[in-house]
Amino acid sequence: MDTPARIARTIATEIGARPEQVDAAVKLLDEGATVPFVARYRKEATGGLDDTQLRTLSDRLDYLRELEARRETILGSIKEQGKLTDDLAKSIAGAETKAQLEDIYLPYKPKRRTKAMIARENGLEPLADAILSDRQAQPEALANGYLSDAVPSAKDALNGARDIIAERLTEDAELLGALREHMQKEAVLSAKVIEGKETEGAKFSDYFAHSERWATVPSHRALAMLRAQKEGIVTLDIAPPDAEQVEGLVASRLSTRGQGPGDAWLRKIAGWTWRVKLSLSMMVELMGDLRSRAQEEAIAVFARNLKDLLFAAPAGNRPTLGLDPGIRTGVKAAVVDGTGKLVATDTLYPFQPKNDLRGAQAAIVKLVSQHGVELIAIGNGTASRETERMVAEALTLLPKGVTPPTKVVVSEAGASVYSASELAAREFPGLDVSLRGAVSIARRLQDPLAELVKIEPKSIGVGQYQHDVDQHRLSKSLEAVIEDVVNAVGVDLNTASAPLLAHVSGLGPGLAEAVVAHRDQNGAFTSRKELLKVSRLGPRAFEQCAGFLRIRDGKEPLDASSVHPEAYDVARRIVSACGRDIRQIMGHEGALKGLRAEEFVDDRFGLPTVRDILSELEKPGRDPRPSFKTASFADGVEQITDLKPGMVLEGTVTNVAAFGAFVDIGVHQDGLVHISQLADRFVKDPHEVVKTGQVVKVTVVEVDVPRKRIGLTMRKDGGASAREDQKMRGPRKENKPKAKTGSKPQSRDDSGGALGAALRDAMRSR
């Protein structure tokens, strides 16, 4: 089977598709098409592969192509050595992973001079073979026949034979595969505190004497232990629970079941090979696998949270006052109109040291009245609740006839990063850095997606151990999420910023800047076709981007929809069949009732595309994001000290991790709903129940003021099980006693209301 066919077959099996679907998708991606474009506009070619399948396909394609390239390199190397046999070639062709491939190549891989090589040069390989062949002979007696100037004693001869046999074992692909499989199932990960580091590493106290099965270590615990190791607090080890069993696996490759002197000697060699050679390499490999597995899970959590956040409901094109709370430096205020354009700024000083409460409230009344403010976005940082209370009082002072705006507490994560960015400097060259944050807060309430794409995703604060993972893989994953969301929502060509346009299929930063420059110079686009007049934007880029860009009230009504220009003829045939004007049909449910999609299929566009067009004509340019909803914080609950167990509060989910969800309840410190407290049923993945930006009702279970830790529950019993569990366990101890030698693996409970342990995990991951 040729390489492309092998890759297509492998990927097809993994994503639940046919090889020909994979071939078609690979061809499109190789030609420069983006995942959103292929998923939306090339369904006939791919058989309807969705964006999730295509993302997996794209990622696996890179890995498998690297695997095939390595396979060819290895085949070439062994062939050059004149050692390639039919069986070996078959084994190489059958390797499904890079690890398996490297195991096979190990005996043929050019290596530095080894002890086994020296032993062979000294003529000791026949001794090794003699011991293996005659188990009844005494190895020492056999060794005496191989003495020389280079090998002065029987002990030296036996050591040389040992090195040769050990090297054979360490290069035995079948043995390595069996050991790897056994270790992956049975190995135990152990952490032990380094003496004298107890105080410095107190936050890692759960891992001072900790062990659990390698195969089931959750990603957040794995990353916590790896971080503790990196900071020099603990040492980590991965070992089998029964070393003798593993040594037996190694010995079995030498067939040492007999009772002869040779069998006994070979069993010792097998044990020595495991302890000195194989155990270390296996530990290093499994540690790498653990790190990779944990990183993949952490990256997936981050990507999922970012997707939920970007898909958050927009408040819409309504005049908004953004407030970036502060105490001594003042509350920064910025008003933006319905299009997000900055129209007014101010700095208010209602708190210490100026205490100009009346002046601040008068300023808010003036801004609201003058600019018709409908929404007030308040950052959730320091002095957020005090600012919210000040605003509530100010709104009672509005003149009669002025409708009070709705106040909403908004996450300000990343606003300061944006404020100091080059992009913000270009956007607001004459505006003070501190006021730019207020603009960002206001805009992210109007349209979270349009504003958050301006901020480095890693600054938004929805990750788990994000600084401990491969930054390139993390960035690639987050970029894919942003691309998928932006193109799923669609972008208004005449109002979108360059950072937002940059994520549209086929554009990128350079063409996005060119589109904005053309718009600034020539005015608003009146049709999608005008995009072809943009400098450097050719037919290929137009094909990729046009369907995701919207033009409201333009010359061509279809430009406001997701119907691609290449399919306008089909759309017009559908409209013509109705005998009505296209503007009368678009957006009127039932106008297309009775039409059969099959009647409009032609040689270019199949049933999937026609169905998409019919759906789009019924609801043109529909926004897949939910309707706007806000959380109401409880009056009088403004600090962590105001919280009491049993309180029922409303809050907004700010982050979802593998062990639970963080919720902002308006006290400047997010609380944690542990995974065991998310629902009245078993929850495997917190994303099954909650998502970032969701408004939820929670009950306070545990409050630890000194450590700023808040335990919450969403269970109907109000967390009774968690409180009972805490009573039964008694006061929490900070340091666990060191494990005794030979003790069984211990694992912290991750269920049943183990909020204290989960809170410690949570704080380390932030």
Side-chain angles (χ1 to χ4, degrees):
M1 182 178 294
D2 62 6
T3 297
R6 188 207 308 270
I7 291 174
R9 184 192 63 183
T10 301
I11 295 177
T13 302
E14 292 175 354
I15 67 173
R18 300 185 308 277
E20 53 268 30
Q21 290 176 277
V22 174
D23 281 332
V26 169
K27 186 173 184 293
L28 288 165
L29 293 173
D30 283 346
E31 290 173 352
T34 66
V35 166
F37 176 79
V38 175
R40 182 71 175 82
Y41 297 114
R42 292 296 179 263
K43 291 180 179 178
E44 286 87 351
T46 68
L49 294 180
D50 61 30
D51 55 355
T52 301
Q53 289 173 304
L54 288 166
R55 286 289 175 202
T56 303
L57 182 153
S58 180
D59 290 341
R60 289 293 288 151
L61 183 62
D62 291 340
Y63 176 88
L64 291 172
R65 280 178 169 169
E66 289 174 6
L67 177 65
E68 293 303 328
R70 183 61 178 158
R71 196 190 311 273
E72 291 303 315
T73 299
I74 288 172
L75 278 169
S77 174
I78 297 175
K79 192 179 292 183
E80 283 180 11
Q81 298 173 39
K83 298 178 180 178
L84 187 63
T85 64
D86 290 343
D87 287 344
L88 185 54
K90 189 176 179 181
S91 295
I92 293 171
E96 296 181 353
T97 66
K98 291 178 181 177
Q100 290 176 351
L101 203 53
E102 296 302 331
D103 286 349
I104 296 168
Y105 184 44
L106 207 52
Y108 309 95
K109 192 174 185 178
K111 54 179 75 74
R112 293 178 299 172
R113 188 172 167 82
T114 65
K115 288 183 177 181
M117 287 179 183
I118 296 170
R120 289 190 185 96
E121 291 169 3
N122 291 333
L124 294 175
E125 190 154 35
L127 171 60
D129 292 335
I131 296 172
L132 288 166
S133 300
D134 187 358
R135 305 298 176 89
Q136 298 306 314
Q138 287 287 348
E140 291 81 2
L142 292 173
N144 287 325
Y146 294 88
L147 303 183
S148 65
D149 290 342
V151 186
S153 68
K155 182 179 179 182
D156 293 326
L158 289 175
N159 284 344
R162 177 201 65 191
D163 292 334
I164 291 169
I165 294 171
E167 186 172 89
R168 291 179 186 176
L169 289 170
T170 59
E171 294 179 347
D172 185 330
E174 189 174 333
L175 173 61
L176 293 176
L179 287 173
R180 183 179 294 111
E181 184 179 354
H182 179 82
M183 289 288 285
Q184 287 172 344
K185 287 180 180 178
E186 306 295 338
V188 173
L189 171 68
S190 301
K192 183 179 180 182
V193 68
I194 296 172
E195 193 172 344
K197 294 287 186 176
E198 290 84 357
T199 302
E200 181 184 341
K203 63 181 179 180
F204 297 112
S205 60
D206 287 347
Y207 308 115
F208 284 180
H210 176 87
S211 55
E212 60 183 304
R213 283 187 62 216
W214 175 91
T216 56
V217 181
S219 65
H220 60 279
R221 281 214 294 272
L223 290 170
M225 284 185 267
L226 288 166
R227 182 186 289 180
Q229 180 192 48
K230 185 178 179 181
E231 293 182 13
I233 305 301
V234 304
T235 56
L236 297 183
D237 185 33
I238 298 174
D242 186 349
E244 288 184 8
Q245 185 180 5
V246 180
E247 290 175 11
L249 277 175
V250 179
S252 68
R253 294 299 293 167
L254 300 175
S255 302
T256 59
R257 293 181 180 177
Q259 299 303 313
D263 290 307
W265 185 83
L266 287 169
R267 280 194 287 270
K268 288 182 181 179
I269 298 307
W272 181 87
T273 302
W274 166 254
R275 293 190 303 275
V276 176
K277 304 279 188 180
L278 290 170
S279 62
L280 178 60
S281 63
M282 280 290 156
M283 187 198 79
V284 170
E285 183 177 324
L286 263 65
M287 197 69 78
D289 288 349
L290 177 69
R291 181 179 286 103
S292 179
R293 185 179 77 205
Q295 288 189 5
E296 288 296 336
E297 290 179 27
I299 289 171
V301 167
F302 198 154
R304 181 74 174 269
N305 286 339
L306 180 62
K307 187 172 185 177
D308 290 341
L309 190 63
L310 295 178
F311 263 129
N317 300 330
R318 300 157 69 184
T320 303
L321 167 61
L323 297 175
D324 188 356
I327 299 178
R328 294 184 177 280
T329 56
V331 178
K332 311 301 178 183
V335 178
V336 297
D337 65 15
T339 67
K341 180 183 177 182
L342 179 64
V343 294
T345 62
D346 202 349
T347 301
L348 321 176
Y349 296 95
F351 312 122
Q352 294 181 351
K354 293 190 177 181
N355 289 318
D356 185 15
L357 179 60
R358 291 186 181 277
Q361 292 176 335
I364 288 174
V365 169
K366 181 180 178 182
L367 290 171
V368 170
S369 303
Q370 282 187 348
H371 302 287
V373 170
E374 296 180 25
L375 297 166
I376 299 179
I378 304 169
N380 67 343
T382 303
S384 174
R385 293 307 304 276
E386 294 87 343
T387 300
E388 185 184 15
R389 186 168 63 248
M390 182 267 291
V391 169
E393 293 173 0
L395 296 182
T396 64
L397 305 175
L398 286 170
K400 287 185 178 180
V402 177
T403 304
T406 302
K407 55 183 174 64
V408 183
V409 175
V410 175
S411 170
E412 61 181 46
S416 60
V417 174
Y418 163 76
S419 301
S421 69
E422 183 182 342
L423 173 62
R426 289 203 310 269
E427 199 171 1
F428 303 107
L431 191 64
D432 184 82
V433 171
S434 60
L435 289 168
R436 294 173 189 165
V439 177
S440 180
I441 289 169
R443 285 177 169 178
R444 67 173 62 184
L445 179 60
Q446 290 179 321
D447 190 342
L449 175 59
E451 192 62 23
L452 289 173
V453 294
K454 300 176 183 177
I455 302 169
E456 171 69 29
K458 287 177 279 189
S459 301
I460 297 175
V462 292
Q464 172 190 337
Y465 289 95
Q466 66 191 57
H467 301 295
D468 295 294
V469 303
D470 184 298
Q471 296 302 296
H472 173 72
R473 282 159 60 194
L474 176 61
S475 296
K476 185 179 177 182
S477 177
L478 299 184
E479 285 165 10
V481 167
I482 295 171
E483 182 181 47
D484 286 344
V485 174
V486 167
N487 290 285
V489 172
V491 173
D492 189 318
L493 180 57
N494 286 319
T495 61
S497 65
L500 182 58
L501 287 168
H503 295 287
V504 171
S505 170
L507 289 185
L511 285 178
E513 293 283 358
V515 168
V516 172
H518 185 279
R519 189 176 69 197
D520 291 343
Q521 186 174 351
N522 301 284
F525 289 91
T526 58
S527 74
R528 282 170 168 167
K529 286 183 179 179
E530 289 180 12
L531 278 165
L532 291 167
K533 297 179 182 179
V534 174
S535 174
R536 295 181 289 109
L537 199 157
R540 185 64 175 164
F542 178 81
E543 177 190 55
Q544 294 289 309
C545 73
F548 303 106
L549 297 169
R550 312 277 185 267
I551 297 177
R552 317 289 178 191
D553 304 318
K555 295 177 182 177
E556 169 57 72
L558 289 170
D559 284 349
S561 73
S562 67
V563 177
H564 197 284
E566 67 186 9
Y568 280 4
D569 288 346
V570 180
R572 290 195 180 96
R573 277 195 283 123
I574 293 172
V575 171
S576 179
C578 294
R580 297 165 66 182
D581 181 80
I582 191 168
R583 288 181 173 82
Q584 294 177 319
I585 290 174
M586 289 180 69
H588 292 274
E589 203 166 340
L592 303 174
K593 194 174 181 181
L595 294 182
R596 294 178 64 251
E598 292 81 359
E599 297 172 1
F600 302 97
V601 172
D602 58 26
D603 57 348
R604 289 183 63 213
F605 302 103
L607 204 54
T609 296
V610 174
R611 284 174 175 161
D612 283 347
I613 293 172
L614 285 167
S615 177
E616 187 62 18
L617 288 174
E618 286 185 349
K619 296 180 179 179
R622 58 176 172 248
D623 193 325
R625 293 174 290 183
S627 56
F628 181 63
K629 183 184 177 184
T630 63
S632 299
F633 292 147
D635 292 335
V637 180
E638 300 175 0
Q639 305 291 337
I640 190 171
T641 50
D642 297 328
L643 296 174
K644 298 288 184 292
M647 282 184 170
V648 179
L649 305 168
E650 197 168 68
T652 304
V653 177
T654 60
N655 196 1
V656 182
F659 46 77
F662 292 95
V663 179
D664 178 6
I665 52 175
V667 295
H668 310 305
Q669 177 64 49
D670 290 353
L672 174 70
V673 183
H674 184 249
I675 188 170
S676 64
Q677 298 298 309
L678 284 170
D680 294 308
R681 58 179 175 81
F682 173 76
V683 177
K684 184 177 180 182
D685 178 3
H687 287 99
E688 297 171 10
V689 182
V690 291
K691 62 182 180 180
T692 305
Q694 182 178 341
V695 176
V696 295
K697 276 196 174 179
V698 296
T699 302
V700 178
V701 175
E702 183 179 353
V703 184
D704 187 339
V705 177
R707 298 179 180 217
K708 297 184 178 179
R709 293 171 180 169
I710 306 164
L712 306 172
T713 185
M714 289 169 56
R715 292 168 63 109
K716 289 179 182 177
D717 65 8
S721 60
R723 288 193 294 273
E724 287 302 314
D725 179 56
Q726 180 63 32
K727 286 178 184 177
M728 290 175 66
R729 286 186 287 118
R732 249 189 350 259
K733 293 184 179 180
E734 290 313 305
N735 296 326
K736 291 184 177 182
K738 294 184 179 180
K740 295 179 181 178
T741 304
S743 62
K744 292 182 179 180
Q746 299 175 30
S747 175
R748 270 194 310 99
D749 184 16
D750 243 7
S751 60
L755 287 174
L759 284 164
R760 291 194 292 276
D761 272 341
M763 293 307 107
R764 280 190 294 268
S765 76
R766 299 288 271 175

